[in-house]
Amino acid sequence: MTENTAHTDSQLAAFEDKVANEQRIEPKDWMPDAFRKTVLRQMSQHAHSEVIGMQPEGNWITRAPTLHRKVILLAKIQDEGGHGLYLYSAAETLGTTREEMVQALHDGKAKYASIFNYPALTWADIGMIGWLVDGAAIVNQVSLQRTSYGPYSRAMIRICKEESFHQRQGYAATMVLARGSTAQKAMAQDALNRWWWPALMMFGPHDSDSAHSGQSMRWKLKRESNDVLRQRFVDQAVPQAEFIGLQIPDPNLKWNEERGSYDFGAIDWDEFMQVIAGNGPCNRQRLAHHIRAQQEGQWVRDAMHAYELKRQARAVA
Ligand code: 3HC
């Protein structure tokens, strides 16, 4: 039996009709296996990204320059953990479990966002992660609020409400450095030099090289293309850098009056492919940390499971 031959033509027609009419596909709806598979791929990757993204920022909690910055960073990291939980819960509606998604990550069968394989070397990197990484994530996630899979769309709407705080606090922290001493401004510029291009890579390969975009756009899983969203991010971030006196590390960056957008230089896709193949600066430590944390936290999950069993037993007694 080929994939999905068990479905009836009317099921496929109903699915396609809902997508065409901007109706959300819900967990109980029939859906093509390939749709379920790619939604799960993207949602689990997104959930993994939120959780692994806590690592570079978590390394700076004890080294935040003020109590105020420490509290903001703690709140942001806590938000990211919550975003991961929303997305794992939403992904579980596709018939998989959190344990299976995490195991796929540990087995190298699932990805997380390339950006988190770069080190956060100074406090300025924490500002950059908020300003550029969350800034790029917001551009992508605002668009994903209109994704065709219902639970994913609703998770995005909830997550976007918190992301704008993440981007603003990062930009504010960067502004303090950019307007500070010469050494502070140099630290901010050094961080911008290291995070700018990996932030552009977050949006994925060029549309012409994207393996999934065409089908994902037809299914309205993806509402705007990688390049459209990347361009939107560049057009937002460049004026923000100029406002605080930082230089975007791209000699080919130039305002294109005709397009009403910035032209920018070539992205190093060899670097991108190396990073997503597991050969980035921090891939091994990020995954090792995730595996260790998962193992060290097993007793908590066992205790909660035991409690739940006991509660259920009492409820039926
Ligand atoms: N990091 C890792 N892998 C990436 C990637 C990235 N930035 N961009 C693309 N890829 C991978 C894809 O997963 C795919 O590999 P696969 O076939 O083995 O899964 C391959 O490169 C081809 O890319 P495509 O563009 O064809 O893949 P998609 O159609 O899935 O588009 C995407 C890539 C734009 C990243 C899309 O998956 C997406 O929108 N994902 C949801 C957004 C997301 O994951 N955001 C995480 C950002 S971090 C974050 O939110 C935390 C923040 O709050 C700090």
Side-chain angles (χ1 to χ4, degrees), residues 138-172:
I138 289 172
V139 169
N140 170 284
Q141 290 168 168
V142 164
S143 181
L144 278 173
Q145 289 180 124
R146 294 184 298 118
T147 190
S148 54
Y149 188 58
Y152 196 18
S153 164
R154 292 187 288 273
M156 285 295 97
I157 291 167
R158 172 68 191 264
I159 285 173
C160 284
K161 290 186 190 335
E162 294 171 339
E163 287 291 6
S164 39
F165 145 63
H166 298 172
Q167 191 268 359
R168 299 315 293 171
Q169 63 81 35
Y171 187 57

Side-chain angles (χ1 to χ4, degrees), residues 107-141:
D107 295 343
K109 295 185 185 120
K111 292 184 166 72
Y112 56 91
S114 48
I115 191 76
F116 294 122
N117 291 306
Y118 292 83
L121 299 176
T122 71
W123 172 254
D125 289 54
I126 297 304
M128 281 308 146
I129 290 173
W131 174 30
L132 298 183
V133 176
D134 285 80
I138 289 172
V139 169
N140 170 284
Q141 290 168 168

Side-chain angles (χ1 to χ4, degrees), residues 237-308:
V238 171
Q240 290 168 345
E242 287 171 353
F243 182 70
I244 55 177
L246 294 181
Q247 299 300 316
I248 299 288
D250 177 0
N252 296 308
L253 186 75
K254 191 162 85 42
W255 178 252
N256 183 320
E257 193 55 42
E258 197 183 318
R259 289 195 318 119
S261 278
Y262 286 93
D263 294 335
F264 52 92
I267 293 171
D268 182 347
W269 293 113
D270 290 342
E271 176 182 328
F272 172 77
M273 293 312 287
Q274 279 300 318
V275 171
I276 68 171
N279 304 318
C282 298
N283 293 59
R284 288 171 186 75
Q285 84 184 60
R286 296 286 186 248
L287 207 50
H289 181 107
H290 194 282
I291 292 168
R292 192 171 60 251
Q294 184 75 2
Q295 288 164 349
E296 289 170 358
Q298 187 57 47
W299 70 272
V300 176
R301 289 187 294 279
D302 292 346
M304 286 169 64
H305 185 61
Y307 172 77
E308 180 57 18

Side-chain angles (χ1 to χ4, degrees), residues 57 60-77 123-124 126-127 130 165-177:
E57 294 180 305
W60 280 89
I61 291 173
T62 56
R63 295 180 283 170
T66 66
L67 179 59
H68 177 66
R69 285 285 165 211
K70 185 196 288 274
V71 169
I72 290 175
L73 184 57
L74 277 168
K76 177 190 189 294
I77 295 170
W123 172 254
I126 297 304
F165 145 63
H166 298 172
Q167 191 268 359
R168 299 315 293 171
Q169 63 81 35
Y171 187 57
T174 305
M175 189 184 288
V176 168
L177 296 173

